[in-house]
Amino acid sequence: MYFRKKQVVIEAVQFDGSEESIVNILKLGPSRLVDVDHEERTLPKIQISTLEGKMTAKIGDYIIKGVHGELYPCKPDIFAETYEECNEPNIMNFGQAIERIKAGKLVARKGWNGKGIYIGLIKPKDGDAMTHDFIYIDTTGLQTDNPDAPLDRVPWLASQTDMLAEDWQVVGD
């Protein structure tokens, strides 16, 4: 069997030995999880209580806040292979947006004209004319000056621009 790691946005701070990095690490989670080792001033390190026991973070390591608020250290090379920086935590590409739709979320492009437009998934019920799942666009909340704008849930097809866009976001959460 094969598995793919789900894409999740995480918070992380790189420990550089400075007081500022320690303060930022303490902001990630409960201070009871983090113990700064002041014994060795030349090579400061941090002890972190994890689900697997105490782990040590040295200068250059990243401290990551997991999906359940837990903290754990990560070596910089592993961090670089696993994570990429994102400026806005809730912005995603089209593939990620489709995964959110399949999970029952509503999504919209940040760059769409008109506010209140989103897409979602409809699963047909017994006796429905549509027999397959389909993505719809809902414009009932559309705020526009166009009096001819459709106000209904209608099937939606993505344009090439939509498929290549990286400004998708979950709405209504």
Side-chain angles (χ1 to χ4, degrees):
M1 296 181 83
Y2 296 95
F3 294 89
R4 176 177 296 133
K5 188 173 185 178
K6 291 181 181 178
Q7 295 200 1
V8 211
V9 175
I10 54 105
E11 288 182 75
V13 174
Q14 189 171 28
F15 176 52
D16 63 9
S18 70
E19 290 297 320
E20 182 182 2
S21 72
I22 293 169
V23 167
N24 289 332
I25 289 165
L26 292 173
K27 287 179 184 176
L28 284 177
S31 57
R32 64 180 166 72
L33 300 177
V34 179
D35 180 32
V36 181
D37 186 348
H38 293 289
E39 299 282 325
E40 299 180 46
R41 292 310 263 166
T42 56
L43 293 172
K45 58 186 175 187
I46 295 178
Q47 297 289 321
I48 301 172
S49 296
T50 71
L51 298 174
E52 291 83 24
K54 281 212 181 238
M55 299 181 85
T56 301
K58 297 181 180 175
I59 291 178
D61 291 350
Y62 285 85
I63 311 306
I64 298 173
K65 182 177 184 177
V67 294
H68 297 291
E70 73 281 12
L71 300 180
Y72 56 94
C74 183
K75 295 293 178 200
D77 57 334
I78 302 296
F79 189 88
E81 289 179 28
T82 310
Y83 301 100
E84 62 185 19
E85 188 173 350
C86 62
N87 294 328
E88 296 184 59
N90 63 343
I91 300 297
M92 59 195 131
N93 65 35
F94 184 64
Q96 295 164 322
I98 294 296
E99 290 303 316
R100 298 309 190 291
I101 290 172
K102 288 179 181 178
K105 301 290 185 185
L106 303 173
V107 300
R109 294 241 350 253
K110 190 174 181 179
W112 270 346
N113 293 329
K115 303 296 178 204
I117 300 172
Y118 60 85
I119 60 174
L121 184 69
I122 291 183
K123 295 180 174 278
K125 297 178 179 78
D126 289 339
D128 283 354
M130 295 290 286
T131 57
H132 299 288
D133 296 356
F134 69 93
I135 295 176
Y136 69 92
I137 186 164
D138 190 315
T139 58
T140 55
L142 181 64
Q143 299 169 10
T144 180
D145 295 331
N146 179 0
D148 298 322
L151 299 174
D152 204 358
R153 290 182 175 187
V154 295
W156 178 80
L157 293 173
S159 69
Q160 290 182 17
T161 305
D162 291 328
M163 288 186 274
L164 295 173
E166 302 211 3
D167 65 347
W168 288 93
Q169 55 193 355
V170 173
V171 296
D173 266 353

